[in-house]
Structures are given as structure tokens and as C-alpha cells.
Amino acid sequence: MKEGFRQSMAWLHTWSGLLVGWLLFMIFAAGTATYFRQEITQWMQPELLQAQPGPQATTHALNALREKAPKANRWSIELPTPREPAVRIGWVESPASSAKNARGRFKTEFLDPATGAELKARETRGGEFFYRLHFDLHYMPAVWARWIVGFCAMFMLVAIVSGVITHKRIFKDFFTFRPEKNQRSWLDAHNATGVLALPFHLMITYSGLITLMTLYMPWGVMTAYQGDQKAFTAEVFPQTKTPKPTGRPGTLTAVEPLLAQARARWGVAPGHVTVVNPMDAGAVIEVRPVDERRISLNGPVMTFKGDTGALLSVRGDDAPAAATRGVIYGLHVARFAEPWLRALFFVSGLAGCAMVATGLLLWAVKERQKHAKQIRHGLPIGLGLRLVDGLNIGAIAGVPIAMASYFWANRLLPLGLPDRQEAEITCFFAAWGVAAVLGLARSTRGMWRWQLMVGAALFALLPLLNAFTTYAHLGVTLAAGRWAFAGFDLTVLALGLGLATAAWVLQRHGGKAIRKARSSKAKHPVAAGA
């Protein structure tokens, strides 16, 4: 009975991982990149390298907003941080249509904190694209995408738990790796990458489900609030009530003393300033701290009267359920993490990618051994195995090609190209589509090697492309200590070397397999010619 239970868990582990593995690999890869999405965005907007720190950043931002958006009913200011050195200002433009439900477009600009001069950065989604991709999947309605991603996450959770149950020597096997043993080598690699970051895998999968729990399990909310979603949102995610404008012109008080008051209360620097009805006598100023110093995403808010600076309210103590969700969500996105901890999350995410990849390859290797006789005699293998082989190439080798192509497009597309950020995203999916089609059309060892080498070249040559197309190259960024830019170049170089190593290993083992097959034919000429 006990052995039967473990065999059942092994079956469950295999199929729960295989059925969603290809999409799960992309989700893991995009989510892993998200840990450095601000740094990715910086690299993709090299014009921001010239931003210099300055004490009057907020004043410069308010002056710019008064000039550019005097009629907007809300101003947004994101103050500079080590990860985002420029000031970002934003406002909602007036809608082009006069229709009742027409909405204006949210517009953002970057300013130099020292001078207040506008920094003309190229149009790009940057790292935000990977963040949205790993749960919104881009080319589909967001609700459908989140259901699909939740389905994959639940299968992932089942695969992790069933895998732990299946491998009763899982921690002992973590220290075991037998190279050049075909199926056993893939199993050892799968075990090692799975156990290496097992707590991370459990946390990231479970917390991902929790972030969208009301979408997947809405019945508790429907029962407790009689289906009133707005009442639930207002209680669990409270927002400052937007005051109605008085219709009388007003003047904003100096904001720096308010930021100093917030800093004294929280012990950390404010990071976000929102001004509601900024040119009205009833203006309100909201101040929030930077995200990097707390685990929970439910941050405190201080609200001040716009004309006098009087403190109106302080919000920050959430109900237990909301606070718990905020912490779990915060663990998932890891905005609180220092650079070294963020790097550890990144490496754990790469281990997750390797775990999914080796699991997919392990299934194909097992199936191929079942068809070894057919393959040895040159007979065609089943459609299922050929499909899995092609999908494995398209996902495992194709996603790195797509990600690198996205970065190349950022440097090569004309700066004035209309809707430039969508053109970069189109390059991502076009490159991925080509890699997937080629993988399905010819799922051979040579195709594996070729696509891995293409991915390696695209990643490894990015620093060289950066040097030829911008002034934010390693020769400048390392000397200036701009580690967001330099770290990106060094990381993609390391990823390129990793993919090149995988292609080299594949070439080396492919040569051994060919020599072994020729030797077998020489020893058994009759069987070989049968």
C-alpha cells in the first residue's frame, strides 16, 4: 500500500509538471527577471544615466507639473532612489473624446533631480513588460491570463508536494550527481535544482496563488459581503477618499517640511508624493515611503492639507487578514530585498527554471529509451514524443532567444518609431515564435545546439551592442559606480556563457553518442542492417 501510494505520487508528479511545464518555464523566466525590473528599465533607458542627485527634487517636480499639467486633477511624483535615479512625474491628460466614460491617458516624464531638466528617455516598457508578462501573458484579456497562470501555479504546487513525497531520499540525492549517465544524470540534475531552492519554490508558488486568491476563490467574499465587491475592496484595501474640488484657486504649501515630517515618523525616506486637486483651495497631499524597507506591500500613508500642510490623517495599521496578505504578496515580489538578497532570489528563480527544464527533458529521455529499438532501426517515433521534443526546444531554448531579442530591439529600433514599446514586445514574440516553429519542425540535437548558440550569442554580445549604440557601456558605468547599468551587462554576459556551455556540452555528448552508435553497428552488422 505504501509503495502504491508513492507510485501514485510519482505519476501525479510527472503529469502535473509536464502538462503545464512549457508555459511554466516562461512564467518562471519572466518572473525571475522581474526581481531586477527597475535595473532592466534603467538599462533600456540609457538616457537616464545622466541623472544626478539633488536636494530640490520635489520642488523641481512640482514646478514642472505646474507648467505641464495645470488642469490635471491628480499629480504623481516618484522620488529618486538608488534603483531609479531620476524623478518620475505623472498626470492624467484630458480625454480626447467628450463621451461620458472616456478616460485620459496617463503621461509620465523624467526629470534630473539636480536641475529639474527633462530627461528625454526612449519609449519602452523595460522590466515592467516581464512583470506583467508573468501573470498577464500580454496578448489576451487579463482575467483569462490570470486564470491560466493560476491553473499552472496550482499544478506547480501539486508537482512540488508530490515530488517531495516521491523521492524519499531527496535530500541525500541532492549531493549526488552522476554525469554521462543519460536518464540518471537528468534525474540528478532535476533533484539538485529542485532541492537547492525548495523553500523558495514553495513560497513563490503559494504566494503567487495568494495574490489573486479572491479571483480564484471568490465565494467567501460573496458570502460575507453579499456580493458587494466594492465594499470588500474598500475595507481590505482602504484608499484615501478623493476630496471634491472647491472651485476656488489655491496655492500649495512647501512640500519639503512634509517629507521631513514623514521621514521622522517612519524612519525611512518618502518615495511617493500624490497631489489631489493641485490647483484648488481644497488640495490634498499624500506621502508614502519607499518600498525597499518593508516586507508588506500595504505601506503607510500620511495625508496633509494642501494649502497649510496640516496633517489630516495617518493610515498604516491594516486588519490582520489584509496585513497577512500584504506580507505574502511582499515576499512574492521582494521589493524589500537588499541587492544581495535580491540576487539570491534571482539565482533561486534560475534554479526554478532549471528544475522545470530538466523535468521536461527527463520525461522525453525516459520515453526515448522506451522507443530505443525503433530509433536504433531508424523507425519513426510517436507523435507525442516528437511534440514534446519540439515544445521543449521552443520553450527552453526559445524563451532565452526571445528575451535577448527584446533587449536587442531596444537598442536597434529607431528612437522616434511610433508606438516603439509595442514594437519591442512584438520582437520578443516574433523571435519566440520563430524558435518554437523551428523546434517543432525539426526537433533534433542539432536544432537544440543551434538555438542554444543563438541565445548565447544574443546575450553575450549585448554589452558590445550597448557600447556601439550608447554611452552607458561598461567602460563608463564601472568607473562611475553605476551598478544598475554595469550589473545588467555583466549578468547577460554570464547568461550567454551559460548557454554557450550548455551548447558545448550537448556537442560533446552528441559526438560520444555518434561514436558509440557507430561502434555498435561495427560489432553487430546484421542487427544494424536489419
Side-chain angles (χ1 to χ4, degrees), residues 10-66:
W11 178 89
L12 182 63
H13 178 75
T14 297
W15 289 103
S16 60
L18 179 68
L19 293 177
V20 299
W22 302 286
L23 182 57
L24 202 59
F25 182 86
M26 185 277 291
I27 294 170
F28 250 98
T32 299
T34 296
Y35 286 124
F36 289 97
R37 64 171 163 164
Q38 285 91 339
E39 288 77 6
I40 291 173
T41 303
Q42 273 196 63
W43 187 89
M44 296 182 74
Q45 293 181 316
E47 298 81 6
L48 301 184
L49 181 64
Q50 57 189 299
Q52 298 296 326
Q56 300 296 317
T58 310
T59 301
H60 293 319
L62 290 172
N63 290 338
L65 286 165
R66 288 189 186 98

Side-chain angles (χ1 to χ4, degrees), residues 140-364:
M140 64 172 56
V143 173
W144 294 8
R146 293 176 189 189
W147 270 107
I148 292 171
V149 171
F151 184 82
C152 293
M154 183 57 71
F155 268 55
M156 174 73 174
L157 193 62
V158 170
I160 291 172
V161 174
S162 58
V164 171
I165 295 172
T166 299
H167 299 288
K168 59 183 179 182
R169 298 195 315 161
I170 188 168
F171 291 104
K172 182 178 179 181
D173 287 345
F174 171 68
F175 299 99
T176 303
F177 183 72
R178 287 152 284 196
E180 302 183 17
K181 295 295 184 181
N182 205 5
Q183 179 180 329
R184 175 55 63 181
S185 298
W186 286 114
L187 180 60
D188 290 343
H190 186 62
N191 288 338
T193 53
V195 178
L196 174 67
L198 180 59
F200 171 83
H201 300 327
L202 284 168
M203 179 277 292
I204 208 68
T205 307
Y206 179 72
S207 60
L209 289 167
I210 291 295
T211 58
L212 297 172
M213 62 183 180
T214 56
L215 174 65
Y216 305 138
M217 295 186 292
W219 307 285
V221 173
M222 293 171 62
T223 302
Y225 291 87
Q226 287 78 49
D228 191 346
Q229 183 70 31
K230 291 184 178 179
F232 165 76
T233 303
E235 184 173 337
V236 179
F237 311 109
Q239 300 290 328
T240 303
K241 292 183 178 179
T242 302
K244 294 183 179 180
T246 64
R248 294 179 286 109
T251 303
L252 285 178
T253 185
V255 176
E256 280 76 7
L258 310 185
L259 301 182
Q261 185 177 340
R263 185 183 295 107
R265 185 180 188 93
W266 297 324
V268 297
H272 310 274
V273 178
T274 303
V275 185
V276 182
N277 301 322
M279 306 300 285
D280 189 82
V284 168
I285 301 173
E286 299 175 358
V287 180
R288 294 172 173 81
V290 293
D291 294 329
E292 282 80 4
R293 296 300 180 90
R294 65 180 187 277
I295 296 179
S296 176
L297 285 191
N298 301 339
V301 182
M302 294 181 69
T303 306
F304 300 90
K305 205 168 184 305
D307 55 354
T308 65
L311 181 63
L312 295 177
S313 66
V314 178
R315 192 179 77 238
D317 295 330
D318 295 318
T324 301
R325 178 191 178 277
V327 169
I328 294 176
Y329 194 179
L331 283 171
H332 188 82
V333 298
R335 293 181 187 171
F336 64 90
E338 295 290 337
W340 66 268
L341 183 56
R342 211 175 311 119
L344 184 59
F345 271 69
F346 182 80
V347 171
S348 298
L350 292 180
C353 293
M355 176 186 67
V356 174
T358 52
L360 293 170
L361 291 169
L362 179 59
W363 187 90

Side-chain angles (χ1 to χ4, degrees), residues 349-484:
L350 292 180
C353 293
M355 176 186 67
V356 174
T358 52
L360 293 170
L361 291 169
L362 179 59
W363 187 90
V365 168
K366 283 183 177 180
E367 287 299 306
R368 189 167 287 102
Q369 288 184 346
K370 293 178 183 178
H371 298 82
K373 189 173 181 180
Q374 288 177 252
I375 296 172
R376 194 162 51 245
H377 292 304
L379 298 175
I381 58 177
L383 176 62
L385 180 56
R386 291 203 307 273
L387 179 63
V388 169
D389 282 339
L391 291 173
N392 282 349
I393 296 174
I396 300 169
V399 167
I401 290 174
M403 296 178 79
S405 298
Y406 177 64
F407 299 133
W408 275 72
N410 175 261
R411 288 297 189 260
L412 296 179
L413 290 176
L415 297 183
L417 183 70
D419 210 6
R420 188 178 187 277
Q421 60 182 10
E422 280 302 319
E424 291 179 355
I425 294 170
T426 300
C427 290
F428 172 93
F429 285 104
W432 192 12
V434 170
V437 169
L438 290 175
L440 288 168
R442 188 171 177 80
S443 53
T444 62
R445 185 182 292 268
M447 179 59 68
W448 267 110
R449 189 169 60 252
W450 181 80
Q451 291 208 21
L452 288 172
M453 284 305 301
V454 169
L458 289 173
F459 271 116
L461 293 176
L462 266 174
L464 186 61
L465 174 68
N466 187 34
F468 279 113
T469 54
T470 75
Y471 53 84
H473 53 81
L474 282 172
V476 172
T477 55
L478 284 175
R482 303 302 289 266
W483 294 109

